[in-house]
Amino acid sequence: VERLQQIMTRFGVGQVPVVSEDEIVGIVTRTDLIKLWTAPPHRPSRRREIAQQIDAALPGPLLDLLKQASELAQEMGYPLYVVGGFVRDLLLGEPNLDMDLVVEGEAIRLARRLGRRVGARTRSHKRFGTAKIILEEREAEFGIPSLDFATARLEFYPYSAALPEVERSSIKADLHRRDFTINTLAVRLDSGYYGQLLDFYGGEQDLKDGLVRVLHSLSLFEDPTRIMRAARFEQRLGFAIESRTAELIDNALPMLARVTGERIRHELYLILHEREPERVLCRLDGLNALAQIHARLACGEETWEWFDQLRKTLAGGMWDVRAEEDGRPPPGLYLALLCYHLSRVELEAFADHLKIFRSDLTVLRQIADLRDAETKLDQSALSNRQIHALLRYSSSASRMIHWLCTGSERVRARLKLYETELRHVRPVVDGAYLKSLGLKPSPLFSRLLNAIRDARLDGEIQTVEEEKALIADLLRERDTA
């Protein structure tokens, strides 16, 4: 540190590269030294204020669990912290029960002891020093499915966009590996320090200023998916991406192509689970980041309209499609709208790269089938049985998305007709009746029942007696053929 100070003073520079074996491995700035010399202030009144905020924010059982973790950490001599999004939202006054606990000690050991105390299972990952207490069976009681613990660690990226290598470290180093300053805030929880705020990197001031700022200039090269997270936090919180961070995003855009498809999919689905994901997507489009994910992805007025109509349509209940537990559309439906204009070849390549979940991929393929059937669906004269034949193998989700996106009012009307009426039309007679006629189960059963259904669809028959009469006619035709 003294050597760095001498270099900065003697040569009048604010940034000093650190070189190892003729390669630059990092940069130390004047701000880094200031932060090193200036410890975060700890005001007793502030600590009590934050402690009260935590107590008020958590449901009773979860607060009791946290206090037990605090007591155990004190007994074991482990400093315990809650970090990241929970602290950020606590200071913003936003509800958030998703807590990440960091231990300056053995997180797995602490989690297991707490699990035994409360009678809950634990799962651990020794390589990363992480563990979680499983609360799924008592989620209604605690409000969360699990409580996560991690040993404070330092991460090294062997190359850009790589998965990190980790080693045990301090809370300060653990916070420094995070994405943005607003997510570096931590509150200490072990009994003697409960409520103490740690802010090594100016996160609280950036919260007040409404800024999304990376911690260092290599942050986005280490993990280019942070570009996607920057837009997500900016739009969710109503913040702005800090100007230098915006420059770094522009420089790091090509790195997104080096990230695995699974990691892109993970970040994309987080975006699609936002209340208004179109805000994030259009911001990414403005940053030229969407095109890095796929050259044909774009966000414009049509996207805003479709996403808004999806929420309204799903809430209307006409389509047999379930919303998420919180009432939001499933991310796969937003994805279908985002990909609607992709050709079948482009869609398959995109889905393969991102390893799209099978259920969502099925819907995407069904939508492609409906686009292919658009000309037939738009013919001026179609019987109900013909409409049924064109749509019977599609799902309600795919029909709803096509209904939202098609430019043909006739097709929209037929999709609605099928969803609300035609798909519910079924014969009254069944296989048991056919057996009573002395018939043995065979493909004939399907042909007969489908013929009855088609006759009902077009109003040719209406009663069970007419169904039986039609079956008799069809059997006679078969016997005389």
Side-chain angles (χ1 to χ4, degrees):
V1 173
E2 290 178 359
R3 176 66 176 147
L4 286 164
Q5 183 181 4
Q6 290 170 3
I7 292 172
M8 289 183 180
T9 303
R10 180 180 176 185
F11 296 102
V13 295
Q15 296 179 328
V16 179
V18 180
V19 179
S20 175
E21 298 180 354
D22 296 327
E23 291 189 4
I24 294 179
V25 295
I27 301 268
V28 180
T29 69
R30 187 182 294 112
T31 303
D32 292 327
L33 295 188
I34 293 172
K35 290 177 178 177
L36 177 67
W37 294 324
T38 308
H42 301 306
R43 303 196 312 271
S45 60
R46 178 67 163 149
R47 183 166 72 85
R48 288 192 297 271
E49 176 188 347
I50 292 177
Q52 290 170 358
Q53 286 179 282
I54 294 174
D55 293 352
L58 301 180
L62 183 56
L63 179 60
D64 179 65
L65 182 64
L66 195 67
K67 292 292 180 71
Q68 291 189 63
S70 170
E71 293 168 5
L72 277 176
Q74 187 81 2
E75 292 173 11
M76 299 169 73
Y78 293 165
L80 175 67
Y81 309 87
V82 59
V83 303
F86 174 83
V87 182
R88 177 198 68 224
D89 291 345
L90 183 77
L91 298 182
L92 290 173
E94 297 291 332
N96 185 350
L97 299 183
D98 185 15
M99 291 191 294
D100 293 317
L101 303 183
V102 172
V103 185
E104 285 186 310
E106 298 180 27
I108 295 175
R109 185 177 170 212
L110 174 59
R112 286 175 176 169
R113 286 188 60 177
L114 180 61
R116 286 194 296 269
R117 176 178 286 191
V118 300
R121 294 181 297 112
T122 59
R123 287 206 300 261
S124 61
H125 196 306
K126 188 174 182 180
R127 177 189 170 191
F128 292 102
T130 59
K132 63 173 56 186
I133 295 178
I134 308 302
L135 303 170
E136 291 173 348
E137 296 176 358
R138 301 165 65 182
E139 185 172 353
E141 176 185 357
F142 290 104
I144 55 174
S146 63
L147 185 61
D148 295 336
F149 292 77
T151 297
R153 63 190 191 266
L154 187 61
E155 293 183 345
F156 299 92
Y157 291 82
Y159 53 89
S160 178
L163 292 175
E165 299 174 3
V166 301
E167 68 176 38
R168 184 167 163 178
S169 186
S170 66
I171 183 63
K172 182 176 181 180
D174 185 277
L175 295 173
H176 189 263
R177 69 183 177 82
R178 297 173 187 271
D179 47 14
F180 309 109
T181 59
I182 58 174
N183 292 330
T184 63
L185 297 162
V187 173
R188 193 161 172 177
L189 297 176
D190 44 309
S191 302
Y193 302 89
Y194 186 77
Q196 184 183 90
L197 178 68
L198 276 68
D199 180 12
F200 295 103
Y201 306 107
E204 187 172 21
Q205 187 60 52
D206 281 342
L207 277 182
K208 293 176 181 177
D209 295 339
L211 293 175
V212 177
R213 183 197 310 268
V214 293
L215 272 69
H216 55 87
S217 58
L218 295 180
S219 175
L220 301 174
F221 284 87
E222 291 176 345
D223 185 357
T225 64
R226 288 172 177 168
I227 296 170
M228 301 172 74
R229 291 205 291 277
R232 177 160 58 89
F233 286 125
E234 178 194 54
Q235 296 303 308
R236 179 200 296 177
L237 301 174
F239 283 15
I241 294 175
E242 179 262 339
S243 58
R244 175 58 178 155
T245 300
E247 293 177 6
L248 295 171
I249 286 175
D250 190 54
N251 293 334
L253 281 176
M255 294 297 103
L256 274 173
R258 300 178 61 176
V259 179
T260 65
E262 290 93 336
R263 292 178 64 202
I264 294 291
R265 182 200 65 217
H266 175 73
E267 293 298 331
L268 182 58
Y269 272 65
L270 288 176
I271 290 170
L272 296 176
H273 202 265
E274 291 290 311
R275 293 224 170 262
E276 293 182 306
E278 61 270 31
R279 293 183 178 277
V280 185
L281 293 171
C282 284
R283 179 63 165 126
L284 285 173
D285 198 21
L287 293 168
N288 297 316
L290 271 188
Q292 297 294 327
I293 298 172
H294 190 284
R296 288 281 311 281
L297 292 187
C299 183
E301 292 183 11
E302 186 179 63
T303 312
W304 284 84
E305 180 181 349
W306 283 356
F307 280 37
D308 181 58
Q309 288 302 313
L310 172 61
R311 290 187 288 270
K312 293 176 180 176
T313 300
L314 196 58
M318 182 179 80
W319 303 86
D320 186 17
V321 181
R322 289 185 179 181
E324 300 280 273
E325 289 185 3
D326 57 8
R328 304 183 198 192
L333 296 183
Y334 283 127
L335 180 67
L337 293 176
L338 185 64
C339 298
Y340 185 79
H341 290 304
L342 298 186
S343 70
R344 190 179 291 271
V345 172
E346 291 168 335
L347 179 65
E348 292 293 340
F350 175 74
D352 181 64
H353 175 58
L354 267 62
K355 300 296 185 289
I356 298 298
F357 301 121
R358 181 174 297 180
S359 58
D360 291 339
L361 179 56
T362 297
V363 173
L364 293 176
R365 286 170 171 165
Q366 290 173 346
I367 293 168
D369 291 339
L370 289 173
R371 287 206 319 267
D372 291 343
E374 175 89 353
T375 301
K376 292 180 180 179
L377 272 172
D378 201 25
Q379 290 176 3
S380 59
L382 281 184
S383 65
N384 285 346
R385 71 178 67 188
Q386 289 174 314
I387 296 171
H388 189 282
L390 289 169
L391 298 177
R392 63 181 298 188
Y393 295 113
S394 61
S395 63
S396 288
S398 63
R399 292 191 295 272
M400 180 178 70
I401 295 299
H402 193 56
W403 180 82
L404 285 169
C405 298
T406 181
S408 168
E409 288 302 319
R410 180 183 290 149
V411 171
R412 283 171 60 90
R414 286 170 173 168
L415 289 165
K416 181 178 179 181
L417 174 66
Y418 181 87
E419 181 70 19
T420 57
E421 298 181 29
L422 302 188
R423 71 189 183 101
H424 300 293
V425 175
R426 294 182 177 87
V428 176
V429 299
D430 55 16
Y433 174 73
L434 297 179
K435 289 179 182 179
S436 73
L437 299 178
L439 299 174
K440 293 182 179 181
S442 69
L444 175 64
F445 277 35
S446 295
R447 291 197 296 270
L448 291 171
L449 295 176
N450 287 343
I452 298 300
R453 181 204 60 217
D454 289 346
R456 275 191 172 272
L457 282 168
D458 286 331
E460 296 168 0
I461 60 174
Q462 297 178 343
T463 67
V464 67
E465 288 77 15
E466 290 174 322
E467 287 187 2
K468 292 177 180 179
L470 179 55
I471 288 174
D473 291 341
L474 294 171
L475 290 175
R476 279 194 297 272
E477 289 177 8
R478 184 200 63 163
D479 293 339
T480 57

